[in-house]
Amino acid sequence: MLDFTPAGGRPHPCGEEVLYDFEVDRVAEEILRRGVKRVLLQFPEGLRGRALSIVKRLSERVDAEFLVSGDPCYGACDLPLWQGRSLGVDLIVHYGHSPMMEETNPPVLYVEARAEMDVEEVVRRAVPLLGGAKVVGLASTVQHLSQLRRAERILSEEGKEVRVGGRSGRVTYPGQVLGCDYSSPLSVAGEVEVFLFIGGGSFHPLGLSLATEKDVVTADPYTGKVGRIGEKDRMRVAKRRWATISAARQAERFGIIMGLKAGQRRPTAVRALKGKLEEEGKEVLLLCMEEVNFENLANFTEIEAFIETACPRIAIDGIEGLRQPLLTGEEALVMLGELDWGEVWRATFGGIRWTWE
Ligand code: SF4
């Protein structure tokens, strides 16, 4: 049963609050079915405004203790597993993302929190930005996937052929993207002239454009705004990243960062990089941390360049104020001459990055 609830704090352009499906009945049934006594709930920033209401509604249905994680949550890679174990919880309920890790301790119930938003108006507004393109690829985050069919119908009415990539890599559904995985749209990129992305902000569509090397028209149902990410935007990022790789080439002392978040650990990749750098006569310090940020890196003053293997977007989007260059694992391979620069985005975002672990 659909159970749409305002998320709190994210206004729609027409002034209404956005409704998300928090699936309170399904969560309550699952808690009862499993005989769970203590539950840890985890919300990303944008959904925290409803945490109290969700706990109240669950408490009316089941007799269990509910704890809410207040630490940052960036994705389904970021589950509070050790926190759950130390708190003795029987179940984690993770809101806002599709399933990524299935076999966990404690077990995780994913609630995708799909948005109930009609995208028709914003998609129609985006159509002129598609230009003369005949074949259009469609992509979205999990929140708006149920609107892809509607968008497809609108594009067909406008005389476009539509392509939606299948399920692949770390994503659960056809057409879905993550900030680190564009393998679904990549599978159809060869047939597509331009992509239409439905969702909020520029984080995902920029990654989509980098990964596929195609222009991306954006239709943001939260703001009603449309735009186009093109060659100039890709070049701006590429120049910045190439300059960072060039700066890292001068370094003698490297810090390789292994992420400690459950879905960001790549110990084999870390060790492989360490071996390759040492073969080149570089000194290497292995660092492990949950939060890869300025505060945690700034005082490692002996280190001349960092390589992070946790989430590629941390390095690509950059850490403000950090003095040393910060590379992704794939960019480090480019620096070492093990990967062609022309393949770096596909290696980073194509879902294959997890295979060299
Ligand atoms: S690794 Fe980064 S981009 Fe990928 S799901 Fe996690 S937070 Fe998002």
Side-chain angles (χ1 to χ4, degrees), residues 73-78 97 100 170 178-182 203-204 261 263-264 309-314 349 353-354:
C73 170
Y74 303 108
C77 61
D78 194 1
H97 302 101
M100 186 182 287
R170 299 180 110 191
L178 298 174
C180 57
D181 192 326
Y182 297 87
F203 177 82
H204 291 101
K261 292 181 191 293
Q264 296 187 354
T309 61
C311 164
R313 299 305 293 261
I314 298 170
F349 294 128
R353 64 189 294 268
W354 310 103

Side-chain angles (χ1 to χ4, degrees), residues 206 209-210 213-216 228-238:
L206 178 61
S209 188
L210 290 171
E213 297 178 55
K214 303 278 179 180
D215 284 12
V216 175
R228 183 163 173 135
I229 294 173
E231 173 78 16
K232 252 183 162 168
D233 304 286
R234 293 193 293 277
M235 282 308 292
R236 196 175 51 239
V237 179

Side-chain angles (χ1 to χ4, degrees), residues 100-116:
M100 186 182 287
M101 284 170 281
E102 303 284 358
E103 302 283 320
T104 57
N105 174 25
V108 176
L109 181 64
Y110 294 86
V111 178
E112 292 166 355
R114 296 215 177 186
E116 191 201 32

Side-chain angles (χ1 to χ4, degrees), residues 119-129 220 223-226:
V119 299
E120 172 155 2
E121 203 183 316
V122 75
V123 168
R124 289 206 185 279
R125 202 174 301 148
V127 167
L129 298 187
D220 185 334
T223 62
K225 287 189 179 154
V226 296

